[in-house]
Amino acid sequence: MARRKKGEKIHGWLILDKPIDYGSTEAVSKIKWLFKAQKAGHAGTLDPLASGMLPIALGDATKT
């Protein structure tokens, strides 16, 4: 019997204007928690001391 994944099946891209003092991984974790998504990832990285646009993939979008 397969394990059931926690969270909702949400698919698509989200563009986040990442503030200073947030790492890329920390930002993805917060978005995943907010949307209760099963799977999330980011395209590119930003330093915690940098601000800017961070593309975040949810669900099947993480495969692109």
Side-chain angles (χ1 to χ4, degrees), residues 18-27 42 44-52 54:
K18 188 188 82 59
I20 295 175
D21 293 336
Y22 248 61
S24 296
T25 306
E26 189 178 2
H42 59 83
T45 59
L46 289 173
D47 262 63
L49 299 178
S51 66
L54 180 66

Side-chain angles (χ1 to χ4, degrees), residues 12-64:
W13 285 92
L14 177 81
I15 306 298
L16 175 71
D17 186 9
K18 188 188 82 59
I20 295 175
D21 293 336
Y22 248 61
S24 296
T25 306
E26 189 178 2
V28 169
S29 295
K30 186 63 120 179
I31 293 296
K32 185 177 176 183
W33 176 79
L34 283 171
F35 285 93
K36 296 177 180 68
Q38 285 183 352
K39 192 174 181 183
H42 59 83
T45 59
L46 289 173
D47 262 63
L49 299 178
S51 66
M53 298 297 156
L54 180 66
I56 298 177
L58 299 168
D60 286 345
T62 59
K63 296 175 185 178
T64 58

